[in-house]
Amino acid sequence: MSPVKLNKVIFNAELPELSAEQAATLDVVKSVRTTPRDNRFKKSQNQANHCWNRYNEWLLCVKNTKDEEGCKNMRQMAVSICPSIWTEKWDEERGEGIYPGINP
C-alpha cells in the first residue's frame, strides 16, 4: 500500500470517543509543525546554524516583548529543528546564566 493511501486510511478513520484531556492533546499534536524553510540556509546544508538562529530568534522575541506565551510559536519552531539535547542544554545554561547567546 502506498504511503498516501496509508495516511488516508489512518487519518480518516473514525476516532473513538475521547476525554477532554485526550481531545486537547490531539489538538496540540495536530497543530505541531516543523520550522518553515529559511532561505538563509541551503537545503543540503547542515541545519545546526538554522537551529541556533531559531533558538536565538525566540529569545530575542521574549526579550523584546517580555511575553513568553506570545513567543510560543517561535519556541516551537526552534524545538522542531533542534535536537532536544541541545535545547535542554541551552535552557539549563540560561538558567545558570552562562548561555553564550541572547539573554532575555
Side-chain angles (χ1 to χ4, degrees), residues 3 23 36 39 51 58-59 65 70 77 82 94:
N39 289 330
C51 162
W58 165 67
L59 292 175
T65 65
M77 287 194 296
C82 297
R94 285 188 318 108

Side-chain angles (χ1 to χ4, degrees), residues 10-101:
I10 292 171
F11 294 111
N12 286 334
E14 187 74 28
L15 289 176
E17 205 167 308
L18 301 175
S19 70
E21 183 180 350
Q22 290 171 324
T25 301
L26 183 59
D27 287 341
V28 168
V29 169
K30 284 181 179 179
S31 68
V32 171
R33 301 284 183 261
T34 190
T35 185
R37 189 171 181 287
D38 190 328
N39 289 330
R40 295 176 293 179
F41 308 101
K42 295 179 182 176
K43 286 192 301 189
S44 61
Q45 185 177 6
N46 181 322
Q47 293 296 301
N49 286 336
H50 192 179
C51 162
W52 175 256
N53 281 355
R54 287 289 184 193
Y55 190 85
N56 282 285
E57 287 168 352
W58 165 67
L59 292 175
L60 192 59
C61 176
V62 172
K63 182 177 184 174
N64 291 337
T65 65
K66 307 286 190 241
D67 179 17
E68 211 162 312
E69 187 64 27
C71 299
K72 190 168 75 171
N73 186 38
M74 294 186 83
R75 167 78 181 181
Q76 174 57 40
M77 287 194 296
V79 169
S80 72
I81 196 167
C82 297
S84 60
I85 193 166
W86 291 5
T87 56
E88 290 167 5
K89 177 179 180 275
W90 295 335
D91 289 342
E92 287 176 15
E93 289 175 347
R94 285 188 318 108
E96 296 169 3
I98 58 171
Y99 177 67

